[in-house]
Amino acid sequence: MTEVLLDWRDSDRTETVSVPDGETILDAAAAADIGLPFGCRTGACGTCTARLLSGDVVHHRPPRALKDRHLADGYVLLCIAEPRTDAHLAVGATVQAELVPNPWK
């Protein structure tokens, strides 16, 4: 079991969730009554995107919603991500805004 610190960059909120081996971060958060956004649960939509700040996380299947440059920058999909070590992740609306910048700005 690993510990994952979830850090909402758009507020002062943080939560720590214990993730059993073989379970995704999204499922462990839900079991701990921590609400995180999600859509497809298959790695296709990107609604559950977070950014890895420290630790090691692997995807159970190819993260189709992320391009290679997103993976290189540390973005992960919580619906298919399992931590291999204790980890620290940024979550929330600012992470989504980093991933898909507003082209009208």
Side-chain angles (χ1 to χ4, degrees), residues 15-28:
E15 300 276 356
T16 300
V17 62
S18 298
V19 183
D21 293 344
E23 189 166 307
T24 67
I25 297 168
L26 182 65
D27 286 342

Side-chain angles (χ1 to χ4, degrees), residues 1-6 16-32 34 36 57 60 78 81-87 89:
M1 182 171 304
T2 58
E3 299 291 320
V4 174
L5 174 64
L6 302 171
T16 300
V17 62
S18 298
V19 183
D21 293 344
E23 189 166 307
T24 67
I25 297 168
L26 182 65
D27 286 342
I34 299 170
L36 294 170
V57 171
H60 286 176
L78 300 179
E82 179 183 343
R84 295 292 189 204
T85 65
D86 290 347
L89 293 162

Side-chain angles (χ1 to χ4, degrees), residues 8-98:
W8 280 258
R9 289 299 171 104
D10 46 359
S11 72
D12 293 333
R13 182 180 177 196
T14 60
E15 300 276 356
T16 300
V17 62
S18 298
V19 183
D21 293 344
E23 189 166 307
T24 67
I25 297 168
L26 182 65
D27 286 342
D33 289 328
I34 299 170
L36 294 170
F38 65 91
C40 67
R41 289 188 168 273
T42 64
C45 75
T47 303
C48 63
T49 302
R51 190 167 194 182
L52 184 66
L53 302 175
S54 67
D56 186 27
V57 171
V58 297
H59 289 110
H60 286 176
R61 61 173 61 190
R64 293 182 294 161
L66 298 177
K67 299 184 181 314
D68 288 341
R69 70 177 191 273
H70 298 139
L71 296 169
D73 287 341
Y75 291 99
V76 298
L77 300 177
L78 300 179
C79 70
I80 59 171
E82 179 183 343
R84 295 292 189 204
T85 65
D86 290 347
H88 181 188
L89 293 162
V91 296
T94 56
V95 174
Q96 289 288 333
E98 291 171 6

